[in-house]
Every structure is written in C-alpha cells, then in structure tokens.
Amino acid sequence: MTQTAKTTRDDGQLTLRDVVAVLERRYPLDTAQSWDRVGLVAGDLDQPISRIHLAVDPTLAVIEEARAAGADLIITHHPLLLRGIHSVATTSAKGASVTELIVNDIALYCAHTNADVADPGVGQALAAACGLSETQALEVTEGQELGRVGDLPDALPLAEFARRLHEHLPATASGIRVAGPADGTVRRIAVLGGAGDGAFDAVRASGADVYVTADLRHHPALEAREEAAVAGGTPYLIDAGHFASESLWLPGLAQGLVAELGAAAARLDVHVSQVRTDPWDFVLGATGPGASGPEQHPESEPHTNDAGDHA
C-alpha cells in the first residue's frame, strides 16, 4: 500500500520536501547531463520553509545575503559541489560555504542543466529577452533539447538587436561583446545560456543570423567568424555574459514556484538575489566601433543587479 506525502505540515507550514517536489517536477533530475550534479545539496526535507532566495551562483556573498534576509532555502542554477572535494573546513571557500549553510539552517538546491533543457527554462528566458516567442531546440544532447532558435517578427540591424538585448540583461562590468558589422541584418536567432562555444556546428545548421551565448573563447570564436566569412558572413556572435544570460531565468522560477505551490505559497516569500556574481569588476581600454568608456560601466561595488523581488 502506498501513501501520498502531505504537502504541508499539520500547522500549514511549507516544508523543504514540498518545495523540492515542485522543483523536481519542473526540472526532473534525470534530464540533467551525465556530468552534472543537481538536486538537494544541504538541508533537512522536513525543515519549514518560509523564505526562498534565488541566485545564479551559491557564492559566499549570496549565502550571506540570504542569511541576513532570514532565508531558509537558496535555489541556485550553478552547483556548489560540481567537482569532488575532500574537506569542508572553513579554510576553503567551498568549506566555508557549506559551514555557513549548515550553521544557519539554510538549505541549498541546485537546478543546472536540467533547468537549461526545461520548458520553461533558461533557454526560453534568454530567447524571450531576444524577442523570440516561438522557438525550437538548437540541438539535442543526451536526449535533451538544449538551446533555442527562432525568428524575430521583423529583421533588425545587428547593433539594434544587441542594444535591445542589452536592455534586458542585468548590468555587468564587461557588458556584451558583439562580432559582426553593426549594420548587418539579423532575424533568425540562436541562443544558448551560459558557455556555448561548443555548439557552433548546430548554430550553422540552424541557419541563424546571430548566435547569443557566453564565455566565447578566442580560438572557437575566431574560427567561427572565419568560417562565416566564406559562407556569407553569418552567424554573427554576441557574448552576453555567463551570469547575465542565465540570471534571466530567475524571475520566471520565482513566479513558477509560487504558482505551483498554490494556496500554500501564501505564507512564502520568494526573493531574487541582488548579488551580481559575474566575476568581473571593471574594464579598461575598450576600443573599436561602439566601445564604451569606463564611465559607462557599473561601479565595482556593490555587486548588484535589478532583478527585484517576486512573491
């Protein structure tokens, strides 16, 4: 005989078990890539949850922000313990993070590549910021759709498209980088949140005019532009930043959690972190068409974005 677990405690208080159940319906663990480490990292499934903190990265600053806000649970995109460690002593950042979580009774849950491939998920959030409404998978990896590709309602100059995208992204020191002529015409857009310079074959096969991703290394990006030069000039490239391109998912996650928890969410506060976990603080010497001067970059402190609260 099987029993269905209660969705709340007898006093009506949500538990970590309730929230995890929603997260694993939205982002099934078995849809994560084989190398990934997702799911519950710290916490007691029966502990009460009244405040949830959402962030891209589980950094010490994010954990401190959550502690100061009285959060019971942090949900991040990137895992804290992706690679094995042999100590959680506070002499290392990982150890200090784990200790802070446990000492302050803060649970940690990570939804990484299972959130990348979800619908809605990271890919759809970035596609929406680009102005795309209907999209299809950019590629299929380990049986899961990864990235999105779709068409704008109307063609735009590359510079105008980049400007509109930039308006939807949280401020970072390095902004976005663009490869291609400012007046180049773009309509078909491929996107992949986070690091995406391993997907150029899929981008070319998609017929995209521009590829929006992050962490574009010199050689793959240069070779992609060289290949484009002998094939009509596209795809152009936009490096939107790893943190910025994936942070767009957080407001939708907040809204989705509240919606799926229903009446039980009446006693729940969901907050999107204001910590900017992009690692760069300032840039110098930007040159070339459209380059901005240092006075146009955000101050290095505090590391914040304008995602805001969602309850």
Side-chain angles (χ1 to χ4, degrees), residues 60-77:
L60 286 165
V62 166
I63 295 170
E64 172 55 26
E65 181 191 41
R67 184 205 62 75
D72 310 297
L73 168 63
I74 301 172
I75 302 172
T76 64
H77 184 48

Side-chain angles (χ1 to χ4, degrees), residues 276-304:
R276 173 169 56 87
T277 57
D278 183 89
W280 306 109
D281 290 313
F282 60 90
V283 296
L284 297 174
T287 61
S292 57
E295 70 280 0
Q296 294 177 280
H297 296 301
E299 297 294 331
S300 60
E301 294 295 340
H303 285 48
T304 62

Side-chain angles (χ1 to χ4, degrees), residues 172-185:
T172 60
S174 53
I176 66 175
R177 301 184 295 172
V178 184
D183 61 353
T185 301

Side-chain angles (χ1 to χ4, degrees), residues 67 94 124 145 208 227:
R67 184 205 62 75
K94 298 289 187 187
Q124 283 83 359
E145 294 186 350
E227 292 297 328

Side-chain angles (χ1 to χ4, degrees), residues 24-115:
E24 294 185 356
R25 284 198 300 271
R26 293 176 65 88
Y27 315 113
L29 300 181
D30 60 4
T31 63
Q33 298 293 291
S34 58
W35 50 265
D36 206 1
R37 298 292 180 268
V38 298
L40 188 62
V41 178
D44 179 345
L45 286 172
D46 293 319
Q47 73 185 83
I49 300 294
S50 59
R51 185 173 177 88
I52 301 176
H53 213 63
L54 309 180
V56 175
D57 299 283
T59 63
L60 286 165
V62 166
I63 295 170
E64 172 55 26
E65 181 191 41
R67 184 205 62 75
D72 310 297
L73 168 63
I74 301 172
I75 302 172
T76 64
H77 184 48
H78 293 140
L80 175 64
L81 305 175
L82 182 59
R83 297 175 179 85
I85 60 174
H86 66 275
S87 170
V88 291
T90 58
T91 50
S92 72
K94 298 289 187 187
S97 298
V98 171
T99 299
E100 284 298 306
L101 291 168
I102 292 173
V103 167
N104 292 289
D105 292 324
I106 302 173
L108 174 64
Y109 190 97
C110 303
H112 190 209
T113 53
N114 50 334

Side-chain angles (χ1 to χ4, degrees), residues 195-212:
D197 65 15
F200 281 124
D201 286 344
V203 173
R204 284 187 282 266
S206 75
D209 299 312
V210 62
Y211 179 36
V212 180

